[in-house]
């Protein structure tokens, strides 16, 4: 059965594709700002510990589930639980999550394409005005850019695993590294750049509070694309001779390395624009940062390098963000596509068509929910606030369900699939890990404290997002 499914052709192909999924808006913008606001070096250290101690074991578990079954999340849960209805329900849950996050992420990718187009056509000055973003997201142009994004994703995914996803990652990921380093080097030469580096790196332990700790864990979890079914699906395309734990380690390091370097690009840029920046006032929303704040900073460069030079730097930045977003977007859309291929036996293009149509309908609704349609803009109200359709996607699927899915994976792997089977899969292609302290750590942590921590994160997030109660304050 696995023969008809796609497979990555090499270990590096897999690592680049999985890193492509992991490296996204979370790394390029949210991480640097979160680190600066929340204790600089102290945050970085804590984040690194979370990546290695909590996220890495989970990543190994997700990849092992996928590779063992050669299935999407639903198929994996179904097969390893002998058709248990309750596990099939959870498996379904893990298919709906990526689908809905895909809708959310498509909307943001559409805006990136739109901004890139505006920069290339000489409109950086317009983009840097405060009111532009609100007008842009409510203009009919977004539907044109949406069609472009869907066409791009379709073009990539129709090629399948090796000729679509892997080929794209092998080209875009190295390009992303080069652009990131080039921009970082340029930004570091700006006046007052080192003030930003200082703020980014100097540890301030007093900022490490309970909400900051929980936020750092959620950030690491999200950044590594955990709990989204992506790593189960990509694991299902991994060759038996590849070492799961070493590959997971490389993906986690690449993702964290990119996040770290992004800080050395974003913070110096902010401080060279305004050496007096009060970091506590910086927005922690990636969207606000990318579409409102950064265009202003890029435009200010015109004093030194002229309007064309400033537009060039802005253009490079938006291309970088677009590359990061596209490799993440294809990874998340691949999950439901794999679901239709595995579970219904559909050919890839038919599966893509169905997923594409369903997603397009919901993405249009999400795009209408910033003001174009009052019904979707004021869709419901909870925690004392009116919420749009887009807000719900963010609160339910981004904020809340990811740690719950992580919890489900821990319990399923350790208590239903069982430790011995999990270890056997980990050792396939990675014999060296057998009976090491590392393997013992992965087993014990997934059985004990990782599910407890994820349950606590989920409970506190639900209390905060849906009932307005801050349990961590
Ligand atoms: N790791 C991705 C990021 O940091 O942006 C998370 C992600 C989000 C992956 C959305 C895929 C996706 F569609």
């Amino acid at each position: 059965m696995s023969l008809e499914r796609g497979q990555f052709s090499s270990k590096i192909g897999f690592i680049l594709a999985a890193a492509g999924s992991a490296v996204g808006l979370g790394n390029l913008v949210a991480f640097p700002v979160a680190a600066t606001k929340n204790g600089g070096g102290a945050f970085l250290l804590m984040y690194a510990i979370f990546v290695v101690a909590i996220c890495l074991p989970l990543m190994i578990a997700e990849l092992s589930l996928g590779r063992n079954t050669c299935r999407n999340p639903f198929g994996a849960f179904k097969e390893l639980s002998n058709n248990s209805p309750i596990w099939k329900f959870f498996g379904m849950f893990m298919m709906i999550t990526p689908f809905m996050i895909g809708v959310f992420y498509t909307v943001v990718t559409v805006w990136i394409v739109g901004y890139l187009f505006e920069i290339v056509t000489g409109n950086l000055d317009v983009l840097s005005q405060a009111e532009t973003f609100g007008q842009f997201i409510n203009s009919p142009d977004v539907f044109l850019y949406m069609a472009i994004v869907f066409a791009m994703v379709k073009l990539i995914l129709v090629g399948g695993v090796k000729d679509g996803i892997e080929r794209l990652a092998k080209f875009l990921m190295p390009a992303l590294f080069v652009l990131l380093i080039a921009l970082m080097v340029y930004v570091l030469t700006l006046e007052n750049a080192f003030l930003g580096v200082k703020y980014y790196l100097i540890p301030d332990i007093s900022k490490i509070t309970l909400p900051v700790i929980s936020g750092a864990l959620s950030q690491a979890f999200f950044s590594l694309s955990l709990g989204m079914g992506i790593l189960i699906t990509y694991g299902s395309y991994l060759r038996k001779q590849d070492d799961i734990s070493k590959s997971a380690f490389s993906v986690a390091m690449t993702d964290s390395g990119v996040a770290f370097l992004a800080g050395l690009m974003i913070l110096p840029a902010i401080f060279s624009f305004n050496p007096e920046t009060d970091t506590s006032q910086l927005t922690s929303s990636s969207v606000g940062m990318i579409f409102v704040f950064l265009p202003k900073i890029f435009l200010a460069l015109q004093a030194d390098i002229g309007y064309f030079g400033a537009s060039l730097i802005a253009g490079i930045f938006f291309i970088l963000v677009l590359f990061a977003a596209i490799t993440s977007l294809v990874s998340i859309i691949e999950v439901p596509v794999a679901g239709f291929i595995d579970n219904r036996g559909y050919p890839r293009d038919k599966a893509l068509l169905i997923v594409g149509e369903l997603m397009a309908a919901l993405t249009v609704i999400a795009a209408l929910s910033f003001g174009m349609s009052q019904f979707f803009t004021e869709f419901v109200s909870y925690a004392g606030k009116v919420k749009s359709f887009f807000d719900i996607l963010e609160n339910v699927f981004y904020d809340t369900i990811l740690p719950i899915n992580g919890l489900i994976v821990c319990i399923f792997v350790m208590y239903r699939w069982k430790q011995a089977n999990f270890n056997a899969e980990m050792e396939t292609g990675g014999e060296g890990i057998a009976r090491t302290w590392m393997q013992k750590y992965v087993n014990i942590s997934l059985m004990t404290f990782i599910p407890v921590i994820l349950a606590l994160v989920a409970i506190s997030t639900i209390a905060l997002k849906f009932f307005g109660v801050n349990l961590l304050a």
Side-chain angles (χ1 to χ4, degrees):
M1 71 188 166
S2 63
L3 286 180
E4 303 141 27
R5 296 184 97 243
Q7 212 172 44
F8 290 111
S9 69
S10 62
K11 190 170 147 198
I12 185 71
F14 163 76
I15 291 172
L16 287 174
S21 168
V23 172
L25 303 182
N27 303 61
L28 293 180
V29 189
F31 176 83
V33 178
T36 314
K37 287 171 80 124
N38 298 318
F43 182 95
L44 296 180
L45 185 67
M46 180 174 65
Y47 183 88
I49 293 173
F50 284 160
V51 167
V52 176
I54 296 181
C55 296
L56 200 55
L58 256 167
M59 190 185 258
I60 295 174
E62 288 201 18
L63 290 173
S64 303
L65 264 183
R67 193 179 66 178
N68 182 268
T69 54
C70 293
R71 285 285 173 268
N72 60 84
F74 175 77
F77 276 56
K78 180 175 166 204
E79 191 172 310
L80 295 177
S81 72
N82 283 330
N83 250 328
S84 139
I86 177 93
W87 285 114
K88 277 196 327 204
F89 168 78
F90 286 131
M92 210 53 219
F93 204 63
M94 296 212 49
M95 301 298 289
I96 293 172
T97 309
F99 183 83
M100 296 308 249
I101 292 184
V103 171
F104 176 97
Y105 218 68
T106 305
V107 175
V108 182
T109 310
V110 165
W111 297 339
I112 294 168
V113 172
Y115 265 50
L116 185 59
F117 180 79
E118 293 296 332
I119 291 168
V120 171
T121 51
N123 291 330
L124 177 63
D125 50 349
V126 180
L127 297 184
S128 65
Q129 287 156 16
E131 65 283 0
T132 301
F133 182 58
Q135 287 164 358
F136 172 76
I137 61 178
N138 280 312
S139 74
D141 291 359
V142 289
F143 298 107
L144 174 71
Y145 298 124
M146 196 181 287
I148 296 175
V149 169
F150 274 116
M152 282 197 292
V153 171
K154 160 117 199 282
L155 204 70
I156 297 157
L157 285 183
V158 84
V161 180
K162 191 153 64 83
D163 295 325
I165 299 174
E166 183 174 338
R167 211 160 80 183
L168 175 86
K170 277 186 168 163
F171 165 67
L172 284 196
M173 290 311 284
L176 184 144
F177 299 139
V178 171
L179 291 180
L180 177 63
I181 290 174
L183 265 187
M184 184 188 84
V185 170
Y186 169 71
V187 168
L188 285 173
T189 63
L190 296 173
E191 208 177 329
N192 292 318
F194 276 86
L195 276 180
V197 177
K198 209 175 98 191
Y199 267 87
Y200 183 46
L201 298 182
I202 290 187
D204 178 359
I205 306 263
S206 70
K207 295 259 177 67
I208 306 296
T209 57
L210 218 47
V212 168
I213 296 175
S214 161
L217 179 59
S218 304
Q219 167 83 27
F221 201 82
F222 171 76
S223 186
L224 292 175
S225 296
L226 292 170
M228 303 186 194
I230 294 174
L231 293 165
I232 300 181
T233 308
Y234 274 19
S236 75
Y237 304 138
L238 190 58
R239 302 176 310 174
K240 283 285 181 198
Q241 67 263 41
D242 290 328
D243 184 331
I244 289 184
S245 37
K246 280 197 186 138
S247 305
F249 188 76
S250 308
V251 173
M253 289 305 112
T254 311
D255 185 65
S256 308
V258 169
F260 178 71
L261 291 183
L264 292 177
M265 167 184 76
I266 298 277
L267 270 307
I270 294 175
F271 275 82
S272 87
F273 174 68
N274 175 12
E276 307 292 312
T277 300
D278 173 2
T279 51
S280 67
Q281 301 293 311
L282 286 177
T283 166
S284 41
S285 120
S286 303
V287 165
M289 197 72 192
I290 297 179
F291 298 105
V292 183
F293 196 63
L294 289 178
K296 255 194 302 195
I297 294 189
F298 291 129
L299 185 67
L301 293 174
Q302 69 177 339
D304 284 345
I305 51 178
Y307 188 70
F308 179 78
S311 302
L312 185 69
I313 298 290
I316 293 176
F317 176 78
F318 273 87
I319 290 181
L320 179 72
V321 175
L322 179 63
F323 285 179
I326 282 287
T327 45
S328 295
L329 194 56
V330 296
S331 75
I332 208 146
I333 298 181
E334 176 65 14
V335 182
V337 170
F340 278 107
I341 296 175
D342 295 342
N343 305 330
R344 295 283 174 95
Y346 289 170
R348 176 167 275 277
D349 45 358
K350 183 170 173 196
L352 259 171
L353 193 70
I354 295 176
V355 172
E357 280 172 357
L358 288 172
M359 273 189 87
L362 288 174
T363 311
V364 167
I365 294 179
L368 289 172
S369 74
F370 299 96
M372 277 194 254
S373 150
Q374 195 184 355
F375 178 71
F376 291 118
T377 307
E378 294 164 13
F379 199 51
V380 282
S381 129
Y382 52 80
K385 290 189 192 120
V386 175
K387 301 276 181 171
S388 68
F389 182 76
F390 187 85
D391 292 332
I392 300 179
L393 290 182
E394 183 173 14
N395 288 167
V396 176
F397 293 97
Y398 245 43
D399 298 325
T400 312
I401 290 194
L402 296 188
I404 297 179
N405 284 348
L407 177 64
I408 294 172
V409 168
C410 289
I411 296 175
F412 185 73
V413 168
M414 301 315 293
Y415 296 101
R416 177 75 206 210
W417 189 28
K418 298 269 159 67
Q419 183 175 340
N421 297 320
F422 171 42
N423 284 343
E425 189 59 41
M426 228 195 294
E427 288 160 22
T428 307
E431 293 72 13
I433 199 168
R435 288 174 300 282
T436 57
W437 64 265
M438 160 103 177
Q439 189 179 48
K440 287 195 189 97
Y441 175 79
V442 171
N443 281 265
I444 292 171
S445 62
L446 285 173
M447 238 183 282
T448 56
F449 64 88
I450 295 181
V452 173
I453 293 174
L454 292 175
L456 293 176
V457 170
I459 292 169
S460 68
T461 312
I462 292 172
L464 182 66
K465 299 284 171 185
F466 297 96
F467 300 96
V469 178
N470 191 348
L471 296 179
L472 303 176

